[in-house]
Amino acid sequence: MKLNSDEGGDSKNKIDVLSKIDELKVIANNHYLRENYDEAIKIAEEIMDIAEEAKLYSVVREEGEHIATLYKQAKSDHKFVAVREDFESLKEDYEKLLAQDKIADAHNLLQRFEKDYRKNMHLNSFKRVKDLFIEDEILWNEFHTRQLNLIRQLEPLEIQFNSYVNTNNLLLAGETLDKAKKLLEKLKDSNVLRKWEITQARFLELKKKYDLDEDVENDLKEVSNLTENYEFNKAKNILNTKIDLLHKSDFSDYSRKLEAKLKYVVDAESKYLKLEGDINELERNIKQNVSQNQFKEAINNINQIIKISRFIGKTNYLENYAKYIDILEEKIKINSKIEDTNYIVKKLNVQGMEALKSEDYIVSLEIYKRIVDLIKNINQ
């Protein structure tokens, strides 16, 4: 704005300038009240330009101070706005965490917020922020107390658990671990939780070995029973299945134990098959001996079969073999009787022939009648 230099004009111009400045101050004040500090500063700078041109240095100084105040206010207001906006977002997240029972996370969130702003802001000047800090302190103290109580309750359980594990009492160790789990569900301390995770993993590994050991022992007992009953295929199937399973795991010691048992079963089966072969050979000998009327040899063969059959558990036909022996012994008796009769008949026949030569027909006839009677009595 260009001002006239004459005296009358100066007076009028100053009035106009002051009037203009007053108008601008009203506008600037309105911006200030609406917290539009940037606009208020622009107006104040315009006032300074007008005042400086009019050589109203007191106004220039006043507006300069006012601008400095506005800058501070704007900067401060920006921080307050940022705090309010961040706090609203934080409070929403904080309440979500509390709803999920994540008290430690909620507390840490609030602590980070305080750390971010405490250097440049007095957060307690914000009532809602202050109230939330007070509420959090109460919640945190209660939470911390509960956590300490849980840790104290876990300590004796840990001692009991280790004692049971060291004495291989996995049943009571498992029961103790179950009690601890109920407490651990409420615990948030990551270090303690990690320690119990390791403890549980250790228990599960021991339990796995214990169950496997028991399972293997049961299989070995069943295999032994099957082997004693000469059910070799069933025994081998059980062992092969378990060995294949163990080969896929880290329990090679058990696998070697079962492989040794499998070798024993295979050896037992081999011996069994050999004895079965011996029985078959003896049965062929029986047929041959019977066909040659060598009944005593046949009975000896049968007795060997009975002995082997009893040894290998094939007792189904023992009764038949015993009856067969009775039959053969009867044949032996008959053969013996026939042999004795043949001997007597031969002697009588000689006597009869001599009687005929002597024409002693009566004696000869009696001798031949006796021979006939002897022959008839053979099968009686």
Side-chain angles (χ1 to χ4, degrees):
M1 181 182 290
K2 182 71 176 175
L3 299 176
N4 295 326
S5 59
D6 56 278
E7 188 176 341
D10 286 346
S11 177
K12 184 178 182 302
N13 286 338
K14 283 184 179 181
I15 292 172
D16 291 340
V17 168
L18 290 172
S19 177
K20 179 65 175 177
I21 287 173
D22 287 339
E23 290 177 5
L24 291 172
K25 282 185 176 181
V26 171
I27 296 172
N29 189 57
N30 288 335
H31 283 304
Y32 175 79
L33 293 175
R34 290 196 296 270
E35 298 182 354
N36 294 330
Y37 300 114
D38 291 340
E39 294 299 323
I41 289 170
K42 288 179 182 178
I43 300 298
E45 289 174 344
E46 185 178 350
I47 292 172
M48 285 181 66
D49 291 340
I50 293 171
E52 188 173 2
E53 188 174 348
K55 297 181 180 180
L56 299 172
Y57 298 116
S58 61
V59 175
V60 173
R61 185 172 58 254
E62 180 184 339
E63 288 303 312
E65 292 173 354
H66 183 54
I67 288 173
T69 301
L70 287 173
Y71 270 119
K72 289 181 181 179
Q73 189 69 33
K75 185 177 180 182
S76 176
D77 184 72
H78 174 73
K79 290 180 181 178
F80 274 89
V81 170
V83 169
R84 282 198 299 270
E85 290 177 352
D86 287 353
F87 175 74
E88 292 302 323
S89 175
L90 170 133
K91 192 170 188 301
E92 184 178 345
D93 293 339
Y94 180 87
E95 289 174 349
K96 286 180 180 178
L97 290 170
L98 288 183
Q100 298 171 17
D101 197 32
K102 296 181 178 180
I103 297 175
D105 291 341
H107 176 73
N108 291 334
L109 181 67
L110 200 58
Q111 292 298 304
R112 287 195 298 272
F113 176 80
E114 181 184 20
K115 183 179 179 181
D116 291 341
Y117 286 102
R118 67 185 174 188
K119 290 182 180 179
N120 301 316
M121 299 291 294
H122 185 57
L123 293 176
N124 284 337
S125 62
F126 295 88
K127 185 177 184 304
R128 295 183 66 200
V129 175
K130 181 180 178 181
D131 290 344
L132 185 60
F133 274 119
I134 293 172
E135 178 187 346
D136 178 72
E137 184 178 4
I138 295 171
L139 287 173
W140 177 250
N141 288 335
E142 291 175 350
F143 170 78
H144 190 61
T145 300
R146 289 196 301 271
Q147 293 294 296
L148 286 176
N149 287 335
L150 289 171
I151 292 172
R152 290 192 187 99
Q153 292 177 64
L154 284 167
E155 288 172 354
L157 291 177
E158 182 180 8
I159 294 171
Q160 288 178 6
F161 175 83
N162 290 330
S163 175
Y164 290 139
V165 167
N166 291 335
T167 55
N168 205 31
N169 193 337
L170 296 186
L171 177 62
L172 291 179
E175 292 176 358
T176 304
L177 187 59
D178 288 338
K179 292 178 183 178
K181 284 179 181 178
K182 293 179 181 179
L183 298 174
L184 291 168
E185 288 175 357
K186 305 172 186 177
L187 189 68
K188 306 299 180 183
D189 190 307
S190 59
N191 292 328
V192 177
L193 288 172
R194 177 58 184 160
K195 182 172 71 173
W196 277 94
E197 284 177 5
I198 295 171
T199 297
Q200 184 174 2
R202 175 190 172 200
F203 172 77
L204 291 175
E205 187 67 18
L206 290 172
K207 184 71 166 57
K208 186 177 180 181
K209 288 183 178 179
Y210 176 83
D211 291 342
L212 182 59
D213 185 61
E214 188 175 23
D215 188 34
V216 167
E217 289 302 320
N218 288 335
D219 283 343
L220 289 174
K221 287 179 182 177
E222 185 177 0
V223 166
S224 295
N225 290 332
L226 291 170
T227 304
E228 288 175 4
N229 293 321
Y230 307 100
E231 298 181 69
F232 300 107
N233 287 333
K234 288 183 179 179
K236 288 189 293 184
N237 285 338
I238 290 173
L239 291 171
N240 285 323
T241 300
K242 187 55 64 72
I243 289 170
D244 289 341
L245 181 65
L246 291 173
H247 277 162
K248 299 174 184 177
S249 67
D250 297 327
F251 299 99
S252 56
D253 290 343
Y254 291 102
S255 180
R256 286 193 290 270
K257 191 174 184 179
L258 292 172
E259 286 170 352
K261 188 68 172 180
L262 179 60
K263 183 178 182 303
Y264 167 80
V265 172
V266 171
D267 290 344
E269 182 182 27
S270 177
K271 293 176 182 177
Y272 175 85
L273 293 175
K274 182 182 181 305
L275 291 173
E276 271 199 333
D278 292 344
I279 289 176
N280 293 333
E281 180 65 24
L282 288 168
E283 286 179 339
R284 287 191 290 270
N285 292 340
I286 290 170
K287 290 180 181 179
Q288 183 177 352
N289 287 327
V290 169
S291 67
Q292 297 174 359
N293 291 330
Q294 296 177 348
F295 302 120
K296 288 184 178 180
E297 287 78 0
I299 290 174
N300 184 49
N301 296 148
I302 292 172
N303 283 327
Q304 290 181 59
I305 289 176
I306 290 173
K307 183 178 179 180
I308 294 172
S309 296
R310 283 175 176 163
F311 180 74
I312 64 175
K314 292 185 68 173
T315 58
N316 296 338
Y317 302 105
L318 290 183
E319 185 177 349
N320 292 338
Y321 282 125
K323 289 179 179 179
Y324 197 16
I325 288 176
D326 291 340
I327 292 171
L328 292 177
E329 286 179 343
E330 186 63 28
K331 286 183 177 294
I332 290 172
K333 289 179 182 179
I334 292 172
N335 282 354
S336 177
K337 191 174 182 180
I338 290 172
E339 288 176 359
D340 291 343
T341 300
N342 283 339
Y343 176 75
I344 295 171
V345 167
K346 285 180 181 179
K347 288 182 67 176
L348 289 173
N349 193 45
V350 171
Q351 293 175 6
M353 292 297 293
E354 289 178 352
L356 284 174
K357 288 178 181 180
S358 303
E359 296 182 354
D360 190 349
Y361 300 112
I362 295 173
V363 172
S364 177
L365 182 60
E366 289 296 327
I367 289 172
Y368 284 115
K369 284 182 179 179
R370 188 178 174 190
I371 289 173
V372 171
D373 290 338
L374 287 171
I375 293 172
K376 286 181 179 179
N377 290 333
I378 287 176
N379 294 321
Q380 292 182 357

